[in-house]
Amino acid sequence: MRLSLQAKINYLALSLFVLTALFSVGHHQSDEHYQILEFAQYKLGHISADELPWEFNEKIRPSLQPWITVVLVKLLNTIGISDPFSLTTLFRLLSGLLMWLIIKNFNKLLGETYFSDPKWVLFFSCCTFLLWYVPYISVRFSSENYATICFLLGLYFLIKNNHRFWLLALIGVCFGFSILFRYQLGVAIVGVFAWLLFIDKKRIQEIMAIAGAMVLVLAFGTYLDYLFYGEFVIAPLNYLNVNLIEGKAAEFGVKSFWYYMLVFLLVVAPPLSLILPVFFFKGIKKLKHHVFIWGIIPFVLIHFLIGHKEFRFLYPMSYIFIFITVYGCSLFLKGRNIKKYQRKLVKVAVVLNMIFLVLMIFRPAKGTVLFYKYLYENREAGNNMVLTTQKDFYRLMGDLKTTFYTPTDMQSYVVESTDDLEQFLNTKNISSCYYVHSGYAFTNSVSGYNFEKVYSVYPDFIGELGFVDTKKIRTKCIYLVSRKKK
């Protein structure tokens, strides 16, 4: 049986999602690690509350995803999977599969409704799956990603327009979990309820069925927070109070109102991103009564107004943005002749997208985690000991200890500078250990010890290139230190 072109695109996307999950080691942003994996470590008994991020003491983070992590870790441990790198790989695979499923089904639903030309259906599907950043953000085990999955799932059932009570309740459940994963989605969901009331004009009983199920889920989330923090808290209110009223979020940087637009124009789909806003607003005009518009507009406006901005905050609206833009593009180009220079522009954009896509599939999300992985798998060769200068090796990702990747039998030591290595090694009478050097190559000599480079992200021939100043390369490398034989 021959697969249709649409099916081929779907399976190509699935394979790319899987590849990205395998290679995208680490996390995109520190919240993905410290507020999920390290929080889970606390409930697993591997870290004390004093070692957790400040958000724990302020009780502002939802505990749903840390609890999910605890359950997954315990289940996988029972079948012999305890390696933290295998665990996080499986987490990414799960994330990617869930996102792939919702995109695939949403594409079918929207394609049949809004694109009469099969070519536009295929183009829309390619955009939702194969834009350079989509596989990368889709495999993240992050609050943004899981909030997006739940939000889109709720919208999917809503657009299918089935009035059965159980399905309305399911929509509310999806929206509730979306908020529990990331509170900011509540803004978009308020917009959806406004659409239900003023545009779709659902009966009050139907709206209450959705809202009631959502409230029950939020109550369940409050109970989980009580179990996690050890006292009754309303974490969303704490979050608003600390970050917006007390201004804690602003301490991490404030950007201009137009920040998101500037980043979009520069990086999302160059050089076409310069004209994509035209298509986007064309789509908004035509779809002004669509639930997507009522969800995305308040969400984006609120994030434009809030001073602390990170582009990841808008990831939950990525799929909706792509749909609106592609639909607007189909309306804009309808009946128009595409000129030669326009075709060349599209070809340039496609080539650039393919280059960026390949890079994003195979690059690690956080390179430091690859160093953790190497030492975890080879720690016995270094006598279960690692040495660094100035900063503890397991604090290289921040000022907090990275316990999730730390072997229980690993000893970590710190010296002030490379000049102190000899004294430390001799004082401790160390026969072998690992040394993590901050730089391309360790050129010092330490009496009585051999330093063998065993891991680096850069190949050795880089240092032999005359035009490369290796002193300016910002990297780290791992050396196996061993006492010289007399």
Side-chain angles (χ1 to χ4, degrees):
M1 181 179 177
R2 295 184 60 183
L3 294 174
S4 66
L5 187 53
Q6 180 62 67
K8 290 179 180 178
I9 292 173
N10 291 341
Y11 288 116
L12 171 63
L14 178 60
S15 64
L16 295 182
F17 278 34
V18 169
L19 281 174
T20 307
L22 295 175
F23 286 95
S24 191
V25 177
H27 54 273
H28 174 62
Q29 205 274 345
S30 59
D31 286 8
E32 185 180 340
H33 177 87
Y34 288 105
Q35 272 76 50
I36 299 174
L37 300 182
E38 295 298 331
F39 271 34
Q41 286 285 87
Y42 168 67
K43 296 311 293 185
L44 288 167
H46 302 319
I47 186 173
S48 68
D50 294 337
E51 297 177 281
L52 290 173
W54 64 271
E55 290 94 337
F56 178 83
N57 288 329
E58 296 290 346
K59 299 175 178 59
I60 66 172
R61 292 288 180 178
S63 63
L64 173 63
Q65 201 164 359
W67 278 121
I68 290 174
T69 306
V70 168
V71 171
L72 289 175
V73 167
K74 288 186 174 182
L75 286 175
L76 292 169
N77 285 172
T78 60
I79 58 173
I81 302 175
S82 58
D83 178 342
F85 305 95
S86 298
L87 292 172
T88 51
T89 297
L90 291 173
F91 294 167
R92 291 192 300 273
L93 286 168
L94 174 63
S95 305
L97 178 60
L98 292 174
M99 184 60 81
W100 178 80
L101 284 171
I102 188 62
I103 291 177
K104 179 177 76 73
N105 285 283
F106 232 138
N107 284 352
K108 186 175 185 299
L109 178 63
L110 296 176
E112 293 173 348
T113 307
Y114 292 95
F115 300 103
S116 56
D117 188 337
K119 292 181 180 178
W120 276 107
V121 175
L122 295 174
F123 178 69
F124 168 58
S125 185
C126 286
C127 288
T128 58
F129 277 130
L130 305 179
L131 279 178
W132 64 272
Y133 65 88
V134 170
Y136 176 81
I137 67 172
S138 296
V139 303
R140 304 265 59 87
F141 191 66
S142 64
S143 62
E144 292 92 354
N145 199 32
Y146 278 82
T148 303
I149 291 168
C150 293
F151 181 61
L152 289 179
L153 189 60
L155 290 178
Y156 175 80
F157 291 128
L158 186 60
I159 292 173
K160 286 182 74 72
N161 201 27
N162 191 318
H163 294 275
R164 295 178 182 176
F165 176 84
W166 69 266
L167 188 56
L168 295 173
L170 182 58
I171 293 169
V173 168
C174 292
F175 287 165
F177 278 114
S178 180
I179 295 172
L180 288 183
F181 280 116
R182 188 158 184 81
Y183 301 141
Q184 291 87 335
L185 265 294
V187 177
I189 291 168
V190 168
V192 172
F193 273 100
W195 177 84
L196 289 168
L197 186 62
F198 298 114
I199 302 299
D200 197 46
K201 298 187 184 301
K202 282 201 180 300
R203 293 178 302 158
I204 192 65
Q205 297 94 322
E206 295 175 312
I207 295 176
M208 290 303 295
I210 298 173
M214 187 177 76
V215 169
L216 287 176
V217 170
L218 295 178
F220 173 67
T222 301
Y223 175 67
L224 291 180
D225 292 343
Y226 165 74
L227 294 178
F228 188 81
Y229 291 110
E231 62 181 87
F232 176 77
V233 296
I234 303 180
L237 293 182
N238 290 347
Y239 182 90
L240 289 173
N241 180 59
V242 171
N243 282 317
L244 298 183
I245 298 175
E246 296 180 6
K248 183 70 175 181
E251 295 179 10
F252 298 95
V254 175
K255 296 182 173 65
S256 70
F257 180 84
W258 302 106
Y259 169 78
Y260 290 122
M261 182 62 72
L262 292 174
V263 173
F264 171 82
L265 294 176
L266 289 173
V267 304
V268 172
L272 291 182
S273 51
L274 296 174
I275 59 173
L276 289 183
V278 175
F279 301 147
F280 178 69
F281 288 110
K282 180 77 173 177
I284 284 181
K285 183 179 179 181
K286 184 67 174 179
L287 296 166
K288 58 182 178 290
H289 295 307
H290 196 283
V291 65
F292 278 2
I293 305 302
W294 285 68
I296 193 174
I297 294 299
F299 185 88
V300 170
L301 283 179
I302 286 293
H303 281 82
F304 267 68
L305 292 171
I306 294 174
H308 178 60
K309 296 177 175 66
E310 297 180 39
F311 206 69
R312 66 185 176 95
F313 294 166
L314 299 187
Y315 288 173
M317 295 297 125
S318 174
Y319 181 85
I320 294 176
F321 175 83
I322 292 171
F323 165 69
I324 294 171
T325 303
V326 173
Y327 183 65
C329 182
S330 70
L331 296 174
F332 184 85
L333 297 178
K334 189 175 183 179
R336 295 174 183 256
N337 291 322
I338 302 177
K339 298 178 181 179
K340 189 175 182 179
Y341 81 89
Q342 293 172 329
R343 294 180 184 275
K344 289 184 177 180
L345 189 65
V346 171
K347 289 180 180 179
V348 170
V350 170
V351 171
L352 287 175
N353 182 77
M354 294 304 295
I355 293 172
F356 293 151
L357 178 63
V358 171
L359 291 175
M360 294 302 287
I361 287 174
F362 293 104
R363 69 179 287 271
K366 190 70 174 179
T368 303
V369 178
L370 291 177
F371 287 79
Y372 291 151
K373 187 174 189 292
Y374 178 85
L375 286 190
Y376 186 93
E377 295 173 347
N378 300 278
R379 60 188 183 276
E380 290 183 2
N383 198 28
N384 293 354
M385 187 182 301
V386 60
L387 180 62
T388 50
T389 57
Q390 296 185 339
K391 200 170 187 179
D392 187 286
F393 177 68
Y394 289 100
R395 293 179 185 267
L396 291 181
M397 294 197 302
D399 292 329
L400 296 166
K401 191 172 183 181
T402 309
T403 65
F404 190 80
Y405 298 122
T406 306
T408 55
D409 57 354
M410 196 71 166
Q411 301 176 73
S412 181
Y413 295 98
V414 183
V415 296
E416 285 298 317
S417 68
T418 54
D419 296 333
D420 301 312
L421 287 173
E422 183 174 340
Q423 180 181 356
F424 178 87
L425 293 170
N426 284 298
T427 301
K428 291 284 187 180
N429 194 29
I430 294 173
S431 59
S432 65
C433 70
Y434 284 109
Y435 167 61
V436 180
H437 179 65
S438 296
Y440 173 76
F442 179 69
T443 56
N444 296 30
S445 62
V446 177
S447 178
Y449 285 90
N450 292 315
F451 281 68
E452 177 191 359
K453 184 188 288 188
V454 292
Y455 186 81
S456 174
V457 293
Y458 290 96
D460 290 337
F461 73 81
I462 295 293
E464 300 174 4
L465 300 176
F467 59 87
V468 176
D469 185 355
T470 56
K471 293 182 180 179
K472 294 183 178 180
I473 299 177
R474 299 183 62 183
T475 187
K476 295 179 178 64
C477 48
I478 300 176
Y479 284 82
L480 178 60
V481 182
S482 57
R483 193 191 300 274
K484 291 181 180 178
K485 296 181 180 179
K486 296 181 180 180

PDB file of all heavy atoms in Angstrom, residues 307-327:
ATOM      1  N   GLY A 307       7.283  43.576  31.244  1.00  0.00           N
ATOM      2  CA  GLY A 307       8.644  44.023  30.989  1.00  0.00           C
ATOM      3  C   GLY A 307       9.642  42.902  30.751  1.00  0.00           C
ATOM      4  O   GLY A 307      10.467  42.965  29.846  1.00  0.00           O
ATOM      5  N   HIS A 308       9.600  41.845  31.575  1.00  0.00           N
ATOM      6  CA  HIS A 308      10.538  40.729  31.412  1.00  0.00           C
ATOM      7  C   HIS A 308      10.072  39.848  30.266  1.00  0.00           C
ATOM      8  O   HIS A 308       8.994  39.242  30.320  1.00  0.00           O
ATOM      9  CB  HIS A 308      10.642  39.908  32.689  1.00  0.00           C
ATOM     10  CG  HIS A 308      11.557  38.734  32.557  1.00  0.00           C
ATOM     11  ND1 HIS A 308      12.890  38.854  32.244  1.00  0.00           N
ATOM     12  CD2 HIS A 308      11.316  37.403  32.680  1.00  0.00           C
ATOM     13  CE1 HIS A 308      13.439  37.666  32.187  1.00  0.00           C
ATOM     14  NE2 HIS A 308      12.515  36.764  32.448  1.00  0.00           N
ATOM     15  N   LYS A 309      10.876  39.764  29.222  1.00  0.00           N
ATOM     16  CA  LYS A 309      10.480  39.042  28.010  1.00  0.00           C
ATOM     17  C   LYS A 309      11.522  37.989  27.639  1.00  0.00           C
ATOM     18  O   LYS A 309      12.725  38.243  27.664  1.00  0.00           O
ATOM     19  CB  LYS A 309      10.309  40.022  26.843  1.00  0.00           C
ATOM     20  CG  LYS A 309       9.191  41.041  27.024  1.00  0.00           C
ATOM     21  CD  LYS A 309       9.141  42.014  25.861  1.00  0.00           C
ATOM     22  CE  LYS A 309       7.966  42.962  25.960  1.00  0.00           C
ATOM     23  NZ  LYS A 309       8.087  43.876  27.120  1.00  0.00           N
ATOM     24  N   GLU A 310      11.045  36.827  27.333  1.00  0.00           N
ATOM     25  CA  GLU A 310      11.852  35.764  26.741  1.00  0.00           C
ATOM     26  C   GLU A 310      11.036  35.167  25.618  1.00  0.00           C
ATOM     27  O   GLU A 310       9.835  34.932  25.775  1.00  0.00           O
ATOM     28  CB  GLU A 310      12.204  34.694  27.780  1.00  0.00           C
ATOM     29  CG  GLU A 310      13.069  35.198  28.931  1.00  0.00           C
ATOM     30  CD  GLU A 310      13.378  34.098  29.935  1.00  0.00           C
ATOM     31  OE1 GLU A 310      13.606  32.947  29.483  1.00  0.00           O
ATOM     32  OE2 GLU A 310      13.364  34.362  31.141  1.00  0.00           O
ATOM     33  N   PHE A 311      11.683  34.884  24.501  1.00  0.00           N
ATOM     34  CA  PHE A 311      10.920  34.434  23.336  1.00  0.00           C
ATOM     35  C   PHE A 311      10.203  33.110  23.590  1.00  0.00           C
ATOM     36  O   PHE A 311       9.158  32.838  22.999  1.00  0.00           O
ATOM     37  CB  PHE A 311      11.837  34.312  22.108  1.00  0.00           C
ATOM     38  CG  PHE A 311      11.097  34.467  20.816  1.00  0.00           C
ATOM     39  CD1 PHE A 311      10.564  35.689  20.447  1.00  0.00           C
ATOM     40  CD2 PHE A 311      10.917  33.382  19.966  1.00  0.00           C
ATOM     41  CE1 PHE A 311       9.870  35.839  19.258  1.00  0.00           C
ATOM     42  CE2 PHE A 311      10.227  33.524  18.773  1.00  0.00           C
ATOM     43  CZ  PHE A 311       9.699  34.751  18.420  1.00  0.00           C
ATOM     44  N   ARG A 312      10.738  32.307  24.496  1.00  0.00           N
ATOM     45  CA  ARG A 312      10.097  31.022  24.808  1.00  0.00           C
ATOM     46  C   ARG A 312       8.700  31.211  25.403  1.00  0.00           C
ATOM     47  O   ARG A 312       7.878  30.309  25.354  1.00  0.00           O
ATOM     48  CB  ARG A 312      10.960  30.214  25.770  1.00  0.00           C
ATOM     49  CG  ARG A 312      11.099  30.829  27.154  1.00  0.00           C
ATOM     50  CD  ARG A 312      12.062  30.066  28.036  1.00  0.00           C
ATOM     51  NE  ARG A 312      12.251  30.729  29.318  1.00  0.00           N
ATOM     52  CZ  ARG A 312      11.588  30.437  30.419  1.00  0.00           C
ATOM     53  NH1 ARG A 312      10.668  29.476  30.418  1.00  0.00           N
ATOM     54  NH2 ARG A 312      11.827  31.080  31.547  1.00  0.00           N
ATOM     55  N   PHE A 313       8.446  32.387  25.976  1.00  0.00           N
ATOM     56  CA  PHE A 313       7.125  32.635  26.551  1.00  0.00           C
ATOM     57  C   PHE A 313       6.030  32.548  25.492  1.00  0.00           C
ATOM     58  O   PHE A 313       4.866  32.280  25.816  1.00  0.00           O
ATOM     59  CB  PHE A 313       7.077  34.016  27.210  1.00  0.00           C
ATOM     60  CG  PHE A 313       7.965  34.155  28.423  1.00  0.00           C
ATOM     61  CD1 PHE A 313       8.257  35.412  28.942  1.00  0.00           C
ATOM     62  CD2 PHE A 313       8.510  33.049  29.059  1.00  0.00           C
ATOM     63  CE1 PHE A 313       9.069  35.552  30.060  1.00  0.00           C
ATOM     64  CE2 PHE A 313       9.327  33.174  30.170  1.00  0.00           C
ATOM     65  CZ  PHE A 313       9.604  34.428  30.663  1.00  0.00           C
ATOM     66  N   LEU A 314       6.390  32.798  24.220  1.00  0.00           N
ATOM     67  CA  LEU A 314       5.399  32.774  23.138  1.00  0.00           C
ATOM     68  C   LEU A 314       5.306  31.418  22.448  1.00  0.00           C
ATOM     69  O   LEU A 314       4.476  31.239  21.542  1.00  0.00           O
ATOM     70  CB  LEU A 314       5.732  33.850  22.093  1.00  0.00           C
ATOM     71  CG  LEU A 314       5.732  35.301  22.572  1.00  0.00           C
ATOM     72  CD1 LEU A 314       5.909  36.236  21.376  1.00  0.00           C
ATOM     73  CD2 LEU A 314       4.453  35.651  23.318  1.00  0.00           C
ATOM     74  N   TYR A 315       6.134  30.452  22.841  1.00  0.00           N
ATOM     75  CA  TYR A 315       6.096  29.139  22.196  1.00  0.00           C
ATOM     76  C   TYR A 315       4.695  28.506  22.191  1.00  0.00           C
ATOM     77  O   TYR A 315       4.333  27.849  21.205  1.00  0.00           O
ATOM     78  CB  TYR A 315       7.075  28.181  22.881  1.00  0.00           C
ATOM     79  CG  TYR A 315       8.539  28.460  22.620  1.00  0.00           C
ATOM     80  CD1 TYR A 315       9.529  27.756  23.307  1.00  0.00           C
ATOM     81  CD2 TYR A 315       8.939  29.429  21.704  1.00  0.00           C
ATOM     82  CE1 TYR A 315      10.879  28.005  23.083  1.00  0.00           C
ATOM     83  CE2 TYR A 315      10.288  29.686  21.476  1.00  0.00           C
ATOM     84  CZ  TYR A 315      11.245  28.971  22.174  1.00  0.00           C
ATOM     85  OH  TYR A 315      12.574  29.214  21.956  1.00  0.00           O
ATOM     86  N   PRO A 316       3.896  28.659  23.267  1.00  0.00           N
ATOM     87  CA  PRO A 316       2.567  28.020  23.237  1.00  0.00           C
ATOM     88  C   PRO A 316       1.661  28.484  22.099  1.00  0.00           C
ATOM     89  O   PRO A 316       0.704  27.795  21.765  1.00  0.00           O
ATOM     90  CB  PRO A 316       1.970  28.398  24.605  1.00  0.00           C
ATOM     91  CG  PRO A 316       3.160  28.561  25.490  1.00  0.00           C
ATOM     92  CD  PRO A 316       4.192  29.204  24.613  1.00  0.00           C
ATOM     93  N   MET A 317       1.966  29.635  21.496  1.00  0.00           N
ATOM     94  CA  MET A 317       1.139  30.145  20.402  1.00  0.00           C
ATOM     95  C   MET A 317       1.745  29.862  19.030  1.00  0.00           C
ATOM     96  O   MET A 317       1.226  30.330  18.015  1.00  0.00           O
ATOM     97  CB  MET A 317       0.927  31.657  20.554  1.00  0.00           C
ATOM     98  CG  MET A 317       0.135  32.038  21.790  1.00  0.00           C
ATOM     99  SD  MET A 317      -1.566  31.385  21.754  1.00  0.00           S
ATOM    100  CE  MET A 317      -1.588  30.489  23.334  1.00  0.00           C
ATOM    101  N   SER A 318       2.838  29.090  18.993  1.00  0.00           N
ATOM    102  CA  SER A 318       3.540  28.853  17.727  1.00  0.00           C
ATOM    103  C   SER A 318       2.645  28.202  16.681  1.00  0.00           C
ATOM    104  O   SER A 318       2.569  28.658  15.538  1.00  0.00           O
ATOM    105  CB  SER A 318       4.771  27.974  17.972  1.00  0.00           C
ATOM    106  OG  SER A 318       5.386  27.615  16.761  1.00  0.00           O
ATOM    107  N   TYR A 319       1.954  27.135  17.059  1.00  0.00           N
ATOM    108  CA  TYR A 319       1.123  26.421  16.082  1.00  0.00           C
ATOM    109  C   TYR A 319       0.001  27.318  15.569  1.00  0.00           C
ATOM    110  O   TYR A 319      -0.283  27.360  14.363  1.00  0.00           O
ATOM    111  CB  TYR A 319       0.522  25.158  16.712  1.00  0.00           C
ATOM    112  CG  TYR A 319      -0.332  24.367  15.738  1.00  0.00           C
ATOM    113  CD1 TYR A 319       0.246  23.458  14.871  1.00  0.00           C
ATOM    114  CD2 TYR A 319      -1.711  24.558  15.674  1.00  0.00           C
ATOM    115  CE1 TYR A 319      -0.524  22.749  13.959  1.00  0.00           C
ATOM    116  CE2 TYR A 319      -2.490  23.862  14.762  1.00  0.00           C
ATOM    117  CZ  TYR A 319      -1.887  22.960  13.912  1.00  0.00           C
ATOM    118  OH  TYR A 319      -2.651  22.279  12.999  1.00  0.00           O
ATOM    119  N   ILE A 320      -0.629  28.037  16.480  1.00  0.00           N
ATOM    120  CA  ILE A 320      -1.726  28.932  16.087  1.00  0.00           C
ATOM    121  C   ILE A 320      -1.211  30.022  15.162  1.00  0.00           C
ATOM    122  O   ILE A 320      -1.859  30.366  14.153  1.00  0.00           O
ATOM    123  CB  ILE A 320      -2.397  29.539  17.332  1.00  0.00           C
ATOM    124  CG1 ILE A 320      -3.081  28.428  18.138  1.00  0.00           C
ATOM    125  CG2 ILE A 320      -3.397  30.617  16.955  1.00  0.00           C
ATOM    126  CD1 ILE A 320      -3.694  28.905  19.445  1.00  0.00           C
ATOM    127  N   PHE A 321      -0.034  30.558  15.468  1.00  0.00           N
ATOM    128  CA  PHE A 321       0.555  31.589  14.611  1.00  0.00           C
ATOM    129  C   PHE A 321       0.813  31.037  13.210  1.00  0.00           C
ATOM    130  O   PHE A 321       0.537  31.705  12.206  1.00  0.00           O
ATOM    131  CB  PHE A 321       1.862  32.112  15.215  1.00  0.00           C
ATOM    132  CG  PHE A 321       2.575  33.072  14.323  1.00  0.00           C
ATOM    133  CD1 PHE A 321       2.216  34.409  14.299  1.00  0.00           C
ATOM    134  CD2 PHE A 321       3.585  32.641  13.473  1.00  0.00           C
ATOM    135  CE1 PHE A 321       2.860  35.303  13.449  1.00  0.00           C
ATOM    136  CE2 PHE A 321       4.229  33.514  12.622  1.00  0.00           C
ATOM    137  CZ  PHE A 321       3.869  34.856  12.611  1.00  0.00           C
ATOM    138  N   ILE A 322       1.364  29.830  13.134  1.00  0.00           N
ATOM    139  CA  ILE A 322       1.652  29.237  11.823  1.00  0.00           C
ATOM    140  C   ILE A 322       0.366  29.078  11.017  1.00  0.00           C
ATOM    141  O   ILE A 322       0.326  29.413   9.824  1.00  0.00           O
ATOM    142  CB  ILE A 322       2.370  27.882  11.993  1.00  0.00           C
ATOM    143  CG1 ILE A 322       3.776  28.083  12.570  1.00  0.00           C
ATOM    144  CG2 ILE A 322       2.458  27.148  10.652  1.00  0.00           C
ATOM    145  CD1 ILE A 322       4.471  26.805  12.964  1.00  0.00           C
ATOM    146  N   PHE A 323      -0.693  28.573  11.654  1.00  0.00           N
ATOM    147  CA  PHE A 323      -1.953  28.397  10.941  1.00  0.00           C
ATOM    148  C   PHE A 323      -2.489  29.727  10.415  1.00  0.00           C
ATOM    149  O   PHE A 323      -2.854  29.845   9.240  1.00  0.00           O
ATOM    150  CB  PHE A 323      -3.002  27.748  11.840  1.00  0.00           C
ATOM    151  CG  PHE A 323      -4.397  27.865  11.294  1.00  0.00           C
ATOM    152  CD1 PHE A 323      -4.782  27.163  10.162  1.00  0.00           C
ATOM    153  CD2 PHE A 323      -5.324  28.714  11.892  1.00  0.00           C
ATOM    154  CE1 PHE A 323      -6.066  27.292   9.630  1.00  0.00           C
ATOM    155  CE2 PHE A 323      -6.599  28.851  11.378  1.00  0.00           C
ATOM    156  CZ  PHE A 323      -6.975  28.143  10.243  1.00  0.00           C
ATOM    157  N   ILE A 324      -2.547  30.729  11.280  1.00  0.00           N
ATOM    158  CA  ILE A 324      -3.091  32.028  10.868  1.00  0.00           C
ATOM    159  C   ILE A 324      -2.270  32.607   9.727  1.00  0.00           C
ATOM    160  O   ILE A 324      -2.819  33.146   8.752  1.00  0.00           O
ATOM    161  CB  ILE A 324      -3.115  33.002  12.065  1.00  0.00           C
ATOM    162  CG1 ILE A 324      -4.099  32.515  13.126  1.00  0.00           C
ATOM    163  CG2 ILE A 324      -3.495  34.414  11.615  1.00  0.00           C
ATOM    164  CD1 ILE A 324      -4.037  33.293  14.432  1.00  0.00           C
ATOM    165  N   THR A 325      -0.947  32.489   9.813  1.00  0.00           N
ATOM    166  CA  THR A 325      -0.065  33.066   8.794  1.00  0.00           C
ATOM    167  C   THR A 325      -0.188  32.347   7.459  1.00  0.00           C
ATOM    168  O   THR A 325      -0.273  32.985   6.404  1.00  0.00           O
ATOM    169  CB  THR A 325       1.393  33.037   9.287  1.00  0.00           C
ATOM    170  OG1 THR A 325       1.491  33.736  10.533  1.00  0.00           O
ATOM    171  CG2 THR A 325       2.316  33.697   8.277  1.00  0.00           C
ATOM    172  N   VAL A 326      -0.185  31.018   7.495  1.00  0.00           N
ATOM    173  CA  VAL A 326      -0.314  30.259   6.246  1.00  0.00           C
ATOM    174  C   VAL A 326      -1.683  30.498   5.616  1.00  0.00           C
ATOM    175  O   VAL A 326      -1.799  30.672   4.390  1.00  0.00           O
ATOM    176  CB  VAL A 326      -0.084  28.751   6.493  1.00  0.00           C
ATOM    177  CG1 VAL A 326      -0.394  27.946   5.233  1.00  0.00           C
ATOM    178  CG2 VAL A 326       1.350  28.507   6.937  1.00  0.00           C
ATOM    179  N   TYR A 327      -2.715  30.554   6.435  1.00  0.00           N
ATOM    180  CA  TYR A 327      -4.052  30.829   5.899  1.00  0.00           C
ATOM    181  C   TYR A 327      -4.098  32.232   5.292  1.00  0.00           C
ATOM    182  O   TYR A 327      -4.656  32.427   4.194  1.00  0.00           O
ATOM    183  CB  TYR A 327      -5.095  30.703   7.001  1.00  0.00           C
ATOM    184  CG  TYR A 327      -6.518  30.892   6.516  1.00  0.00           C
ATOM    185  CD1 TYR A 327      -7.097  29.993   5.622  1.00  0.00           C
ATOM    186  CD2 TYR A 327      -7.274  31.967   6.948  1.00  0.00           C
ATOM    187  CE1 TYR A 327      -8.395  30.162   5.165  1.00  0.00           C
ATOM    188  CE2 TYR A 327      -8.573  32.146   6.511  1.00  0.00           C
ATOM    189  CZ  TYR A 327      -9.130  31.243   5.616  1.00  0.00           C
ATOM    190  OH  TYR A 327     -10.417  31.420   5.165  1.00  0.00           O
TER     191      TYR A 327
END
